[in-house]
Amino acid sequence: MSEPQKKTCSVGIDLGTTNSLIAVVGADSSPQVLPNREQMMFTPSAVAARPSAPGKEGPKYLVGLLALNNARRDPRNTVRSIKRFMGLSYVDSKAQVAREHVSYEVREDTSEPGRLLVDVGGALLTPEEVSAEILRKLKMDAEARLPSGRVDYAVITCPAYFSEPQRAATRRAGQLAGLRVKALLDEPTAAALSESRGRAEVRARLLVFDFGGGTLDFSLIQRSGNTFNVVSYGGDNFLGGDDIDRAIARHIRGHILDAGGEIGEENLRLEFELLSKAEEVKKALCGGADFYAAIIPGACRTRDGEWLDVDLEITQEDFLRLIQPILKRIRKAIEDYLDAEGLNPEQMTEILLVGGSSAVPAVQDLLRDIFEQDGETRVRLAQRPMEAVALGAAIYADIIQGIICPGCGEEIPVDAEACPHCGTKDLQIAQFAMGAAEDSPQIQARLPWSLGVRYRSGTDADAYQIILDRGLPYPITDPVIQTFHIPSTQGFSVLSLIHI
């Protein structure tokens, strides 16, 4: 007798720069984050080459906490912060900046110029392949915990300011991990969904400030009942808690050099230890401690060949001084955004803080200084700032209840192998259908970037014709048709069907 087929499950995933989470809506209709096999709510976004052992078989890579622990021994073959490379070409200036802050090798594909690869124990992987390993672990750990035992569908979050190539890479990572990606949901929008559950406001203008490990992201959302209209976006894709850690690590590094320590450029183990110690310092001082002692026994050798022990006291005053450049970048990002959108702080109903780095008291003070000058209390830290994005993604995954058959247009079950109405079996291209219940949240998003086509015009190989303007609402229900003329060519029509 064959075993009954397991029922599939839809999940929400926060694929983060530093940590990743997976959540699901339970039988009581409440979203919850699922612990991993290590009984942790957060899975470190790290992948490492598994040490080879004669005659021993197993997974090719270490993922999560095992990979993070491996970094102390072999930082060169441990990949962290891969999200900063998603969707970027090797020649992109952002990729070149990110390369300076990682311990592993980032190189260009010799067979495909511009394609970015990372070296993991001799294997050259794309950023989406590395991210797929993280997603695969989240999927397997969730399946081990859920009664259904199957996770096939997911909503994956990404920064609101992610470009189309970055979003496509995120979707591809999900597919490589064996997931059918129902949707990509902007992280601030996901946080707004989870934090708005059970709140009575009928109308609100909400600025979601998402400060995570690797990105600063904010979205202005106009809420009217269960409708969330994303008005505009802002932020800095290369500013996050990692930058705070690096500022503290540089301070400790300077202390070591002043004490006569010699740190070679290839001392990657010490560099990893400095970042780990910096994170400890950050958590302790943000938790209210007056000071924290950064202790690293036998950090390195001195010029005399003696081992140097680090015992450095870092105070709250030191911490505030070290992160001032980061606070200035945050202020500038907010002020530039407000100026570009023609907004003033008093127009916001609430500023919702999510992401682990939003818990830094100095960051909260900065936002109060910007948004509460009139005495009104507007800044609020989310109830679960590190989980809010994953919980919102789970809510959104739960309300996507079916798919639209590409053959006949009828709505059918999301796990159908073929359309019961017309028999169509190729359902991989089907669009997902939103829940029709009155209390189902409805999201109206907007394009964070202009979209178009690149073409060659004479000697200019990168001429660009915009088809969809930045700020255009989506999903787009009707085809967008434009006819335009390119020098030295005939005019032609462009038909663009967009479903995001």
Side-chain angles (χ1 to χ4, degrees):
M1 185 175 179
S2 61
E3 294 184 3
Q5 187 176 11
K6 294 180 179 180
K7 184 179 179 181
T8 187
C9 179
S10 296
V11 297
I13 296 176
D14 176 6
L15 183 60
T17 306
T18 307
N19 295 291
S20 296
L21 300 85
I22 187 168
V24 66
V25 173
D28 61 352
S29 299
S30 297
Q32 56 184 325
V33 172
L34 299 174
N36 57 23
R37 288 179 181 267
E38 294 80 24
Q39 305 305 314
M40 299 167 57
M41 293 296 184
F42 316 110
T43 295
S45 300
V47 176
R50 178 179 289 275
S52 58
K56 185 177 181 180
E57 297 183 357
K60 190 174 182 180
Y61 302 106
L62 301 172
V63 184
L65 184 61
L66 290 177
L68 201 60
N69 291 338
N70 183 77
R72 297 183 183 277
R73 181 188 63 83
D74 187 14
R76 185 176 294 281
N77 290 306
T78 303
V79 176
R80 303 172 68 193
S81 300
I82 193 63
K83 186 174 178 178
R84 295 197 178 214
F85 295 102
M86 290 288 281
L88 300 182
S89 69
Y90 179 80
V91 297
D92 192 300
S93 60
K94 294 179 179 178
Q96 294 305 311
V97 171
R99 282 183 64 200
E100 299 175 1
H101 301 298
V102 298
S103 60
Y104 47 92
E105 184 178 358
V106 180
R107 63 171 70 173
E108 186 176 18
D109 191 342
T110 55
S111 62
E112 187 177 333
R115 188 172 183 238
L116 186 148
L117 301 172
V118 298
D119 189 333
V120 189
L124 297 179
L125 305 179
T126 63
E128 49 263 49
E129 287 173 329
V130 175
S131 295
E133 293 295 330
I134 299 168
L135 290 170
R136 191 173 289 116
K137 173 176 170 54
L138 292 172
K139 179 180 185 294
M140 292 176 60
D141 288 358
E143 288 176 336
R145 188 169 291 275
L146 291 169
S148 66
R150 275 184 58 191
V151 172
D152 293 327
Y153 301 92
V155 167
I156 303 176
T157 62
C158 63
Y161 236 55
F162 252 21
S163 65
E164 193 58 31
Q166 290 172 305
R167 292 171 186 269
T170 303
R171 187 180 291 274
R172 173 64 176 158
Q175 294 168 345
L176 290 173
L179 294 166
R180 186 163 179 208
V181 183
K182 285 185 170 183
L184 298 180
L185 182 61
D186 295 339
E187 290 163 358
T189 306
L193 278 181
S194 64
E195 285 293 314
S196 297
R197 282 175 61 89
R199 303 196 69 186
E201 294 98 336
V202 177
R203 292 184 180 274
R205 177 173 278 190
L206 178 66
L207 182 68
V208 182
F209 179 93
D210 183 1
F211 192 30
T215 58
L216 168 62
D217 210 15
F218 36 86
S219 295
L220 179 60
I221 299 173
Q222 187 75 44
R223 181 189 175 191
S224 179
N226 285 318
T227 299
F228 295 79
N229 182 22
V230 182
V231 178
S232 56
Y233 307 94
D236 186 336
N237 273 356
F238 281 81
L239 179 62
D242 287 354
D243 297 283
I244 296 177
D245 295 343
R246 281 195 288 268
I248 300 171
R250 284 194 298 270
H251 178 65
I252 303 173
R253 196 177 195 274
H255 170 78
I256 293 175
L257 295 175
D258 291 342
E262 292 193 326
I263 304 176
E265 291 184 2
E266 298 302 314
N267 197 341
L268 297 178
R269 293 186 184 182
L270 177 58
E271 296 296 344
F272 176 82
E273 190 65 35
L274 291 176
L275 286 172
S276 298
K277 192 60 61 175
E279 187 176 9
E280 289 181 18
V281 172
K282 178 181 68 176
K283 289 180 177 179
L285 296 178
C286 289
D290 293 329
F291 65 91
Y292 188 82
I295 301 174
I296 308 177
C300 64
R301 291 188 182 274
T302 65
R303 287 183 288 271
D304 299 328
E306 300 293 329
W307 283 104
L308 175 67
D309 296 329
V310 175
D311 187 353
L312 175 63
E313 182 178 289
I314 300 177
T315 65
Q316 285 284 354
E317 291 73 18
D318 295 327
F319 179 64
L320 288 175
R321 175 176 52 81
L322 292 171
I323 67 172
Q324 279 305 306
I326 296 167
L327 296 176
K328 289 179 180 179
R329 285 180 64 182
I330 295 173
R331 179 182 285 276
K332 185 178 186 304
I334 294 174
E335 291 177 346
D336 287 351
Y337 164 74
L338 294 176
D339 288 343
E341 299 297 331
L343 299 169
N344 62 69
E346 291 75 20
Q347 290 177 288
M348 311 300 162
T349 305
E350 182 178 67
I351 292 80
L352 175 65
L353 277 59
V354 298
S357 301
S358 291
V360 177
V363 172
Q364 298 175 29
D365 291 341
L366 171 63
L367 292 173
R368 293 190 184 98
D369 182 62
I370 295 174
F371 291 100
E372 295 183 356
Q373 290 187 1
D374 59 354
E376 292 289 332
T377 300
R378 293 188 179 88
V379 177
R380 177 174 72 88
L381 183 65
Q383 294 179 356
R384 297 154 76 178
M386 293 188 67
E387 300 178 15
V389 171
L391 295 173
I395 294 170
Y396 199 55
D398 187 59
I399 64 176
I400 300 178
Q401 298 177 345
I403 55 177
I404 304 299
C405 173
C408 64
E410 293 291 330
E411 183 175 340
I412 60 178
V414 71
D415 56 351
E417 295 183 359
C419 177
H421 304 288
C422 69
T424 297
K425 294 183 178 180
D426 185 12
L427 300 178
Q428 292 301 309
I429 62 172
Q431 298 181 1
F432 287 93
M434 304 301 296
E438 291 185 3
D439 60 347
S440 293
Q442 303 297 318
I443 296 174
Q444 181 68 68
R446 294 177 186 268
L447 294 176
W449 302 93
S450 296
L451 299 180
V453 292
R454 186 173 63 180
Y455 62 90
R456 180 180 296 276
S457 177
T459 59
D460 187 355
D462 288 322
Y464 189 70
Q465 174 65 41
I466 293 177
I467 298 176
L468 302 176
D469 288 320
R470 176 181 180 270
L472 185 72
Y474 73 84
I476 297 171
T477 56
D478 298 316
V480 175
I481 304 176
Q482 278 195 18
T483 303
F484 52 90
H485 295 273
I486 298 175
S488 302
T489 68
Q490 296 180 348
F492 61 91
S493 299
V494 174
L495 174 63
S496 180
L497 297 175
I498 307 296
H499 176 76
I500 302 178

